[in-house]
Amino acid sequence: MSSGAALRRDGKKLVRSPSGLRMVPEHRAFGSPFGLDEPQWVPDKECPRCMQCDIKFDFITRKHHCRRCGKCFCDKCCSKKVPLPRMCFVDPVRQCAECVLVSQKEMEFYDKQLKVLMNGATFSVTLGTSEESELMVCRLSNNQRYLFLDGDSHYEIEIAQISTVQILTEGFTPGGGNTRATGMLLQYKEPGAQDVTQMKFTASEDSNSNKKQSATWLAAMHKAAKLLYESRDQ
């Protein structure tokens, strides 16, 4: 694909919704697989009272909609404005107390773990039932839509086609405190294929620094998988 075609495909546009300004993909199909759609707002006539504290709305007590869940609240219960990158908002938006906590936790993914995934890590990769493995650098594409694997071979796995992500660990204890991520099983469908393809990623044993980098990358991928499943279930 030419660079011009790639730029057109990944182009963005600024749109205004009742919730605020959003920077969204030109084409919906090319959006981030971790994104969420804007919720439908609960109609004003269906919420005479705050859906958190039950105070009645009037000329003094005004109603506000949470931009993440769409429910209706008073100012006290929906006063904070926090970033919501999963819905592509340009500026921080008003959210209820419950949604604020969720959005703030997600910001760690957008501030730190996305960068880890894009920087990549080295793994020994085994395809399907093969007994042979290949040393490859695995990283997330800048548009968040592909997993690139580079070694002697090259693979591009579309994130939206991933069906299962299983993180492999060792050193299990009942409390789980001493576990260490050592690899990953990934199942996905290739375009036009009926069967699921499986890949096994094993952390590189070259050095302690590589082990740490791989473990950090796997932890970020574990969080990415959770967001991916949430986006599909909305």
Side-chain angles (χ1 to χ4, degrees):
M1 178 185 300
S2 69
S3 59
L7 284 172
R8 286 194 298 273
R9 194 177 72 170
D10 292 329
K12 293 180 182 292
K13 60 182 179 181
L14 192 65
V15 299
R16 181 180 291 280
S17 74
S19 299
L21 284 173
R22 301 170 66 222
M23 186 65 75
V24 300
E26 288 277 2
H27 302 284
R28 181 180 173 84
F30 300 138
S32 167
F34 308 117
L36 292 174
D37 291 332
E38 277 191 90
Q40 290 288 329
W41 283 10
V42 175
D44 286 349
K45 62 182 180 181
E46 294 181 13
C47 53
R49 295 177 177 272
C50 174
M51 300 178 78
Q52 178 63 40
C53 71
D54 205 38
I55 191 172
K56 187 176 181 179
F57 295 123
D58 53 31
F59 288 111
I60 297 175
T61 306
R62 307 295 296 274
K63 62 184 65 175
H64 303 277
H65 286 87
C66 171
R67 271 50 174 174
R68 185 180 181 109
C69 68
K71 295 178 181 178
C72 203
F73 302 93
C74 68
D75 183 69
K76 183 178 178 181
C77 296
C78 191
S79 61
K80 287 190 176 180
K81 292 186 177 183
V82 298
L84 187 47
R86 292 187 75 185
M87 291 184 189
C88 304
F89 284 109
V90 175
D91 301 309
V93 291
R94 187 185 293 268
Q95 297 178 54
C96 67
E98 184 177 345
C99 287
V100 161
L101 293 177
V102 177
S103 294
Q104 287 176 337
K105 287 181 180 179
E106 289 176 353
M107 282 310 300
E108 181 182 356
F109 175 75
Y110 281 90
D111 287 343
K112 298 178 182 178
Q113 292 164 326
L114 261 184
K115 295 181 179 68
V116 169
L117 291 173
M118 290 177 181
N119 287 337
T122 302
F123 296 92
S124 180
V125 179
T126 306
L127 180 63
T129 57
S130 173
E131 295 182 359
E132 296 184 1
S133 62
E134 182 178 342
L135 203 62
M136 308 188 84
V137 174
C138 183
R139 66 178 180 86
L140 184 70
S141 65
N142 290 336
N143 62 13
Q144 306 171 19
R145 295 180 51 240
Y146 293 93
L147 214 52
F148 291 153
L149 281 70
D150 288 297
D152 290 336
S153 307
H154 175 77
Y155 295 95
E156 294 185 9
I157 301 171
E158 190 172 358
I159 297 293
Q161 297 302 318
I162 294 175
S163 55
T164 305
V165 176
Q166 179 185 351
I167 303 300
L168 306 176
T169 60
E170 66 177 20
F172 177 77
T173 62
N178 295 325
T179 58
R180 180 173 68 90
T182 59
M184 172 177 71
L185 287 178
L186 194 71
Q187 292 184 332
Y188 65 97
K189 275 192 175 182
E190 297 184 39
Q194 295 295 322
D195 297 328
V196 171
T197 299
Q198 178 169 292
M199 276 187 173
K200 182 178 180 180
F201 298 70
T202 304
S204 172
E205 299 290 335
D206 288 352
S207 66
N208 286 332
S209 61
N210 282 343
K211 283 183 182 180
K212 185 177 180 180
Q213 183 181 19
S214 298
T216 303
W217 194 94
L218 289 168
M221 189 63 191
H222 181 58
K223 178 63 176 178
K226 287 184 177 181
L227 298 189
L228 182 63
Y229 297 151
E230 287 174 8
S231 296
R232 290 175 180 171
D233 292 341
Q234 68 173 355

